[in-house]
Amino acid sequence: MHYKWIALSNTTLGLLMATINSSIVLIALPDIFRGIGIDPLGPGNTSYLLWMIMGFLVVTAVLVVGFGRLGDMYGRVRMYNLGFVVFTVASILLAVTWQTGEAAALWLIGWRIVQGIGGAFIMANSTAILTDAFPADQRGTALGINGVAAIAGSFLGLVIGGLLGPLNWHLVFLVSVPFGVFGTVWAYLKLRDTGERRPAKMDWWGNITFAVGLIALLIGITYGIQPYGDSTMGWGSPLVLTCVIGGVVVLVAFAVIESKVANPLFTLSLFRIRAFTLGNIAILLSSLGRGGLQFILIIWLQGIWLPQHGYSFEQTPLWAGIYMLPLTLGFLVSAPASGSLSARLGARWFSAGGMVLTAVSFVLLEAPPIDFDYWAFAFVLLVSGIGMGLFTSPNRAEIMNSLPATSRGAGAGMNATFQNAAMVLSIGVFFSLMIAGLSQNLPSVLEHGLAAHGVPAADAGRVAGLPPVGVLFAAFLGYNPIQQLLGPILSGLPADQATFLTGRSFFPQLISGPFADGLTAAFWFATVACLVAAVASWFASGRRTGRVSVGGELAASSGELVVDEAPEEPAPGRLMGAVHTLSGATVLDGVVTVTDAQGTQRGRATAAPNGRYAIDDLLPGEYTVVASSPGFRPDVATVSLNGR
C-alpha cells in the first residue's frame, strides 16, 4: 500500500534533480569559467561555452527513447537505479574538479555528458515506475506531481545556479551529490519492479543510426552559430555542412531501417495518422519558440535592462532568473488547469488557443522599448507562460487520443524525442537570428560610439569588426562586454573615458538599436512558429479509438497499455482486443485462443489485418488468452470477462 508513495517520492526527487541540472549551469557559467581560469570569449574557447550548455541537452535528447526500451527489456527499476548511480558519480567528479585551463574545461564537458546519460536513464524510466506502482484511477495524479517537478526543475536551476555560483562554483555541482547519494541508496533499498517485463530484441541499427544522425545534426547547429573565416556565422564551413548533410542522410537511413525491422525504435507508420502528425508538428514548433525565448530574454535582461537599472554586470545572471519567474508561474498555474478542463470541454480550444495566446505574447514583447517598464514586461511573461501551459497538456492528450491503444507507448516516446530535440534546435535558430540582426548595424554603431569616447580609430574599427557572437555571449554570460572587447586598450585611455565606456549605461544604450533589430527577427520567427502550431493543433482531430486522460497519456509514455476512460463496450459474452508487437506494430496471421480455468478451449479467432479480433458466446468468468503468430514467441494474458 505504501510502496506507491515511495515510488512517487523517489522518482520525483530523481526527475527534479535531473531537470535542475539541465539548466543550473546557464546562470553559473561566468563563475565556472572564472574558477577554471578560461576566458570563454577568447579565440577558440567558444566551443567550450557551447558544449557546457548543450552537452547535457544533446545526450538526453538522443538517448531517452532507447533507454526507455532498455527498461522494458531488462527492468525499469534496474535501469532507473543505474541512472541514479551514473548521475551521482558524475556529479561528484564534477564537484571535485581540480584542474584549470583547457584540461578543466574538457573534464567538465565530459562529465556533464556522463551526467546527461544518467539523467536520460532517470527521465526514461521514472514515468514507467509510477505506472507500475499506481492503480489506473490514481496514476494521473501521481504523474501530474512528477510532471510539475520536471517543469519546476528547469526553472529552479536558473535561480540555484545564480545563488551558488558567486559563493563557490564547485557548489553548482556539489549541491546534487547529497540528494544523489540519498536517492541512490533509497532507490536500491526500496524500489522494485512490479510491472510485467516483455523481453524483446533491441533495435541496435535503429538506435545507432538515430544517435549518429541526430548528434551530427545538433553538432552542425552548434558550430553553425560560431564565426568561420570572415563570416559572422559558420553555416558555410565544411565541418558544419558535413555534419548537417551527413546527419540528414543518416536519419534517412534510420527511417528506412525502422520500416523493415520487427521491433523498431520508432513506429513510422503512426505518421499516417493525421492527428498524430499535426500534433507533433505543433509540439515541435512550440518547443522551438519556448526554448529560444528563455535565451533571448536572459540576454535582453543581462545585456541591457538590468545594467540600465543599477545592476552590475556580475549581478545580472542571478537577477535575470528572478525577473523571469512570472513565466514559470503562468506555466505552473495553467498547465494542470488546462489538462483538467480540456478533458471535459475538448482539447482543440485549449491547445490552439494556448498557442495563439503565446503568439500574442511574442508580439507584445516586441512592441515595448528596449528599456521597458518591468511590471508590463512581467505581465506579458505571465501571459506567455499561461499560453504555453494551456497548450502543453491538451496537445499531448490529443496526440495520444488519436492513436490505437496498442501504439500509445511508441507514439509517446516519439513525441518526447521531438520535444527534447527541438529545445536544442531552438538555441541554434534563435542565436542565428539574433546574430544576423546584430550584424546589420552593430559594427557601425560600435565603431562610431567607441571613437566618440577616445578609442583610436584603428582600434575602434578592429573591435567593431569582431563577430557579433562575442557581444551576444558576453551579455549572456554577465560579463562587461566593452571590457571584454577593448581589453588592454582601456589602459591607454583617459580614466574618465575608460570608466564611462565600462559603466552600466554606455553599452546598453549603444546596443539597444542593433539588439532591437535582432530581437524583432527572433520574436517574429517565434510568433509565426506559434501561429502555425495553433493551426496544426486546430486540425489535429481525427477519428479516435476512445478517450484517454492527460494522466493516462503520460502513463503511455512508459510503454504500458492504457485503460481508456470510455472504451468501446463489447457485447455480453464477447472478448475483443488486438494482437501487436511490443512496439505497437500489427502482426500478420495472428491467432488468439481462449481457454477456461480447467484448460478447455472455449474459443479461437484469427486476427484481422489491423490486428483486431473478437470471440463471442463466452460465459462470465476467468480465461487464459494465448496469442501466437509465425516467427514470434506466444504471449499469454489472463482476463476476467464481464467483470471489473
Side-chain angles (χ1 to χ4, degrees):
M1 180 66 179
H2 299 294
Y3 173 75
K4 60 186 179 183
W5 303 114
I6 294 173
L8 175 61
S9 51
N10 189 279
T11 55
T12 300
L13 172 65
L15 202 59
L16 185 64
M17 190 176 67
T19 53
I20 284 175
N21 277 271
S22 70
S23 61
I24 196 170
V25 301
L26 292 179
I27 299 297
L29 279 173
D31 300 293
I32 293 172
F33 280 110
R34 275 193 292 267
I36 64 176
I38 279 188
D39 176 10
L41 303 179
N45 291 342
T46 311
S47 59
Y48 297 143
L49 165 66
L50 287 173
W51 280 110
M52 280 293 292
I53 297 172
M54 307 273 274
F56 190 100
L57 298 173
V58 169
V59 168
T60 53
V62 170
L63 297 180
V64 67
V65 175
F67 285 176
R69 177 62 59 85
L70 287 176
D72 287 337
M73 293 168 59
Y74 300 111
R76 289 157 181 173
V77 168
R78 181 181 299 175
M79 294 297 106
Y80 174 85
N81 290 348
L82 176 62
F84 236 131
V85 171
V86 171
F87 189 94
T88 304
V89 170
S91 298
I92 293 172
L93 292 172
L94 284 165
V96 300
T97 301
W98 66 93
Q99 306 100 318
T100 58
E102 181 181 347
L106 293 175
W107 172 274
L108 289 171
I109 291 168
W111 285 109
R112 275 288 288 174
I113 290 173
V114 175
Q115 193 182 47
I117 293 173
F121 271 116
I122 292 172
M123 294 176 188
N125 292 285
S126 59
T127 300
I129 291 172
L130 290 181
T131 303
D132 292 340
F134 278 82
D137 59 337
Q138 297 178 350
R139 197 172 292 154
T141 301
L143 292 166
I145 294 172
N146 214 234
V148 169
I151 296 167
S154 61
F155 291 103
L156 286 174
L158 299 175
V159 179
I160 295 172
L163 289 172
L164 296 180
L167 297 177
N168 188 312
W169 69 268
H170 293 275
L171 295 176
V172 173
F173 303 111
L174 187 63
V175 69
S176 298
V177 173
F179 297 102
V181 172
F182 172 74
T184 300
V185 174
W186 187 19
Y188 269 93
L189 292 177
K190 295 296 185 180
L191 294 184
R192 60 182 185 272
D193 269 308
T194 59
E196 180 185 354
R197 299 277 66 78
R198 293 186 178 183
K201 290 184 178 180
M202 174 63 80
D203 175 19
W204 289 113
W205 282 112
N207 276 272
I208 291 170
T209 51
F210 176 70
V212 170
L214 188 57
I215 288 174
L217 190 61
L218 296 178
I219 288 175
I221 293 169
T222 301
Y223 286 96
I225 62 177
Q226 299 186 58
Y228 174 73
D230 296 330
S231 302
T232 56
M233 289 183 283
W235 293 110
S237 76
L239 172 64
V240 171
L241 291 174
T242 300
C243 287
V244 172
I245 297 173
V248 171
V249 170
V250 174
L251 288 176
V252 170
F254 163 75
V256 174
I257 291 170
E258 296 303 277
S259 66
K260 297 182 181 300
V261 297
N263 292 291
L265 183 68
F266 276 19
T267 307
L268 299 180
S269 61
L270 296 181
F271 287 110
R272 297 172 185 168
I273 302 172
R274 183 184 67 176
F276 179 78
T277 301
L278 292 177
N280 276 294
I281 290 173
I283 195 67
L284 177 71
L285 292 172
S286 69
S287 296
L288 277 174
R290 183 170 70 249
L293 173 69
Q294 189 177 53
F295 287 91
I296 297 304
L297 293 181
I298 288 174
I299 293 170
W300 191 355
L301 289 168
Q302 292 182 190
I304 298 177
W305 194 86
L306 287 169
Q308 285 185 322
H309 289 79
Y311 296 88
S312 68
F313 285 101
E314 292 76 16
Q315 293 176 314
T316 57
L318 169 61
W319 285 100
I322 294 173
Y323 277 109
M324 286 174 60
L325 285 176
L327 183 70
T328 311
L329 179 63
F331 192 101
L332 294 179
V333 169
S334 64
S338 70
S340 175
L341 292 172
S342 64
R344 297 195 300 267
L345 304 176
R348 170 183 284 182
W349 291 99
F350 288 89
S351 57
M355 278 295 94
V356 170
L357 190 62
T358 305
V360 169
S361 72
F362 284 136
V363 174
L364 293 176
L365 283 171
E366 200 276 326
I370 295 298
D371 184 15
F372 50 80
D373 175 72
Y374 175 71
W375 292 110
F377 180 77
F379 173 76
V380 177
L381 289 187
L382 181 68
V383 171
S384 184
I386 290 172
M388 293 176 185
L390 289 175
F391 164 81
T392 301
S393 295
N395 167 264
R396 189 100 185 271
E398 191 73 7
I399 290 172
M400 302 312 298
N401 284 331
S402 71
L403 298 173
T406 55
S407 298
R408 286 182 181 143
M414 295 160 69
N415 178 258
T417 300
F418 284 125
Q419 186 170 356
N420 291 340
M423 295 298 288
V424 182
L425 181 62
S426 67
I427 297 173
V429 170
F430 274 79
F431 269 109
S432 295
L433 289 171
M434 289 298 300
I435 293 168
L438 287 173
S439 63
Q440 298 297 316
N441 297 314
L442 180 61
S444 60
V445 172
L446 190 58
E447 182 176 4
H448 287 98
L450 293 175
H453 291 278
V455 177
D459 291 325
R462 180 184 57 80
V463 170
L466 294 174
V469 68
V471 174
L472 206 59
F473 284 155
F476 177 72
L477 290 169
Y479 287 115
N480 187 317
I482 296 298
Q483 197 168 45
Q484 291 292 318
L485 291 171
L486 293 180
I489 299 174
L490 286 169
S491 60
L493 299 179
D496 60 333
Q497 292 293 339
T499 301
F500 178 77
L501 287 172
T502 56
R504 297 172 184 170
S505 61
F506 174 73
F507 176 76
Q509 292 176 0
L510 183 75
I511 199 178
S512 292
F515 183 80
D517 296 335
L519 202 64
T520 298
F523 280 145
W524 278 114
F525 172 85
T527 300
V528 172
C530 288
L531 290 176
V532 175
V535 174
S537 296
W538 183 262
F539 289 103
S541 56
R543 188 178 70 85
R544 297 168 184 158
T545 56
R547 298 292 298 177
V548 61
S549 66
V550 173
E553 59 84 10
L554 285 171
S557 66
S558 67
E560 293 298 310
L561 179 64
V562 179
V563 179
D564 292 343
E565 290 180 343
E568 183 181 349
E569 189 70 25
R574 165 173 282 195
L575 175 68
M576 56 194 299
V579 184
H580 57 91
T581 68
L582 183 65
S583 66
T586 56
V587 175
L588 298 178
D589 303 322
V591 175
V592 177
T593 304
V594 178
T595 61
D596 59 19
Q598 289 73 40
T600 303
Q601 180 174 313
R602 294 300 180 184
R604 189 172 186 274
T606 300
N610 64 358
R612 304 295 298 177
Y613 70 87
I615 298 174
D616 295 306
D617 302 324
L618 297 173
L619 298 174
E622 297 289 328
Y623 291 93
T624 299
V625 183
V626 181
S628 61
S629 180
F632 291 88
R633 187 178 58 190
D635 196 14
V636 180
T638 302
V639 300
S640 177
L641 190 63
N642 293 342
R644 293 292 295 175

